[in-house]
């Protein structure tokens, strides 16, 4: 990979002397969906697929971005003196947003840089290619410009800030946090209200985690996402008339049931119900994993899907087909939509000796029903973003 990137770097910028090599993973969330902007818990892990980058400082005030996945955009050139969003930059608005966010936080760069990337996260799959790229850029900037007072958590927050304020998606912190803080063979049990977290080893003796990519991404994903956020904020405001709470994540299901009458809008009521119960499911799921009760973990995954489908309304026909098919296969411990929704991927825990059947039978039935192939990946949990060479 390094050679491939450095050869391209040389072709574009004359040589790769002094260029450095970086990697930032994608992520999959095991449970705790749409809880991160509601002050709840999430349970994601970093993947071994992700985004590789080669980067080097320049002597002038230009920044050059090049993606080997999207050659058609060529070298995107931006001046440090004009760090503004431009739709013609396309994908490069993500790394540019991070440069902008660094400047907003007081970290102005004294010269430009060249950056070439290549990634193997399927685009639009809901496995966080944008967060991967944001945190990659953060790691590159701190390394190239000797910025030593930003932690990996800070880089996650800066990535989220750039996505919220530069790229217009009001996402929570889960993706950037998982990408920045990932740890091999561990998932991250994160309380998004405090950013306190614990690693939980994922040691499934005779089961595998399988991601199934529906290969659909419905349009308006960002606007529907922002709508959900608003609906939760409105539900919270209604509850705050009587309750002294700052987020939906502070409520137990019992407290929610006792006070839900304050929410008069039926849609907001369903959204809030999901946020509260999903938070509890996430806490319970991690406890059951720690107790070795993987069957219970799987049941909670299934309940999560039903809630995301019916109350949160972020699933879609293709994803429901995948999940319904999975639930019928003996040896499937749990299966649900993962990520923001409206397409993308499911995540399933499958007994090792059922994995072949899972892939074959779902692959065949999905093709028949939907008309195109699904893709399957066996999850390997990797480390967070870092520079790879010295
Ligand atoms: C997207 C967002 C995350 C999170 C998930 C849903 O991935 O970027 O912050 O809200 O959706 O859990």
């Amino acid at each position: 990979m390094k050679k491939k990137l450095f050869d391209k770097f040389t072709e574009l910028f004359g040589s790769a002397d002094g260029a450095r090599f970086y990697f930032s993973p994608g992520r999959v969330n095991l449970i705790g969906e749409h809880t991160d902007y509601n002050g709840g818990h999430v349970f994601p892990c970093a993947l071994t697929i992700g985004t590789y980058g080669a980067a080097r400082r320049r002597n002038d005030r230009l920044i050059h971005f090049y993606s080997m996945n999207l050659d058609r955009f060529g070298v995107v050139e931006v001046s440090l003196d004009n760090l503004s969003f431009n739709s013609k930059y396309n994908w490069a608005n993500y790394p540019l947003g991070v440069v902008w966010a660094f400047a907003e936080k007081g970290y102005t760069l004294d010269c430009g840089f060249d950056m070439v990337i290549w990634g193997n996260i399927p685009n639009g799959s809901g496995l966080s290619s944008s967060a991967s790229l944001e945190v990659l850029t953060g790691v590159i900037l701190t390394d190239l410009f000797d910025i030593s007072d930003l932690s990996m958590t800070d880089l996650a927050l800066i990535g989220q800030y750039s996505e919220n304020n530069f790229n217009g998606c009001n996402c929570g912190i889960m993706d950037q946090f998982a990408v920045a803080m990932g740890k091999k063979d561990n998932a991250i049990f994160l309380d998004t209200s405090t950013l306190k977290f614990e690693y939980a080893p994922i040691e499934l003796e005779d089961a595998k985690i399988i991601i199934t990519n529906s290969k659909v991404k419905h349009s308006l994903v960002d606007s529907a996402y922002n709508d959900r956020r608003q609906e939760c904020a409105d539900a919270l405001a209604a509850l705050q008339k009587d309750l002294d709470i700052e987020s939906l994540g502070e409520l137990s299901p019992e407290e929610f049931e006792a006070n839900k009458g304050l929410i008069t809008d039926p849609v907001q009521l369903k959204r809030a119900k999901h946020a509260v119960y999903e938070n509890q499911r996430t806490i319970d799921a991690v406890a059951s994993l720690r107790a070795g009760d993987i069957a219970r973990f799987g049941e909670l995954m299934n309940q999560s899907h039903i809630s995301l489908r019916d109350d949160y309304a972020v699933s879609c026909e293709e994803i429901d087909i995948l999940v319904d098919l999975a639930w019928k296969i003996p040896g499937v411990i749990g299966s649900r939509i993962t990520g923001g929704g409206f397409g993308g991927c499911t995540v399933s825990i499958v007994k090792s000796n059922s994995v072949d059947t899972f892939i074959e039978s779902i692959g065949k039935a999905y093709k028949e029903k939907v008309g195109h192939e699904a893709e399957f990946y066996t999850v390997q949990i990797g480390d967070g973003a870092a520079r790879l060479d010295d």
Side-chain angles (χ1 to χ4, degrees), residues 27 29 32-37 128 171-175 225 339-340:
R27 70 93 188 89
N29 188 23
E33 217 68 81
H34 290 277
T35 47
D36 64 344
Y37 50 85
S128 288
C171 65
I173 189 62
M174 171 171 74
D175 302 350
Y225 183 92

Side-chain angles (χ1 to χ4, degrees), residues 27 29 31-37 42 126-128 130-131 160 163-164 169-176 225 229 274 278 308 312 314 336 338-341:
R27 70 93 188 89
N29 188 23
I31 192 162
E33 217 68 81
H34 290 277
T35 47
D36 64 344
Y37 50 85
V42 292
L127 301 178
S128 288
S130 53
Q160 181 199 18
E163 183 143 351
N164 291 171
C169 180
N170 223 354
C171 65
I173 189 62
M174 171 171 74
D175 302 350
Q176 290 81 3
Y225 183 92
R229 243 195 117 136
H274 168 78
E278 180 76 354
L308 288 158
Y312 218 68
V314 289
R336 59 180 287 274
T338 185

Side-chain angles (χ1 to χ4, degrees), residues 156-305:
L157 287 164
I158 289 178
Q160 181 199 18
Y161 182 84
S162 73
E163 183 143 351
N164 291 171
N165 298 295
F166 195 86
N167 279 289
C169 180
N170 223 354
C171 65
I173 189 62
M174 171 171 74
D175 302 350
Q176 290 81 3
F177 198 92
V179 165
M181 303 298 289
K183 183 172 165 187
K184 189 175 187 309
D185 296 331
N186 282 259
I188 307 171
F189 182 43
L190 170 68
D191 179 345
T192 62
S193 67
T194 57
L195 295 190
K196 287 205 178 118
F197 69 99
E198 288 165 24
Y199 290 113
I202 302 290
E203 292 155 343
L204 305 176
E205 273 171 19
D206 59 349
K208 302 256 180 284
I209 303 174
I210 309 284
I211 295 173
T212 307
N213 187 352
S214 69
K215 305 199 78 178
V216 294
K217 183 187 183 184
H218 293 287
S219 54
L220 299 176
V221 174
D222 285 359
S223 67
Y225 183 92
N226 291 344
D227 289 349
R228 294 296 176 282
R229 243 195 117 136
Q230 189 57 48
E231 287 155 0
C232 287
D234 293 344
L236 174 65
L239 290 166
Q240 282 169 330
K241 280 183 211 134
D242 269 11
L243 298 181
D244 183 19
I245 53 169
E246 278 171 30
S247 73
L248 295 173
E250 285 176 40
L251 293 179
S252 66
E254 295 72 28
E255 287 163 336
F256 175 74
E257 292 300 331
N259 292 284
K260 67 182 183 188
L262 291 165
I263 307 171
T264 50
D265 180 285
V267 172
Q268 289 170 22
L269 182 64
K270 288 213 264 183
R271 308 298 190 244
K273 177 181 162 211
H274 168 78
V276 170
Y277 279 78
E278 180 76 354
N279 183 38
Q280 189 62 50
R281 275 191 288 272
T282 307
I283 296 166
D284 293 348
V286 175
S288 49
L289 185 75
R290 288 192 164 135
D293 189 352
I294 192 71
R296 176 75 186 136
F297 191 96
E299 278 166 27
L300 291 161
M301 288 175 78
N302 296 346
Q303 287 173 19
S304 166
H305 183 76

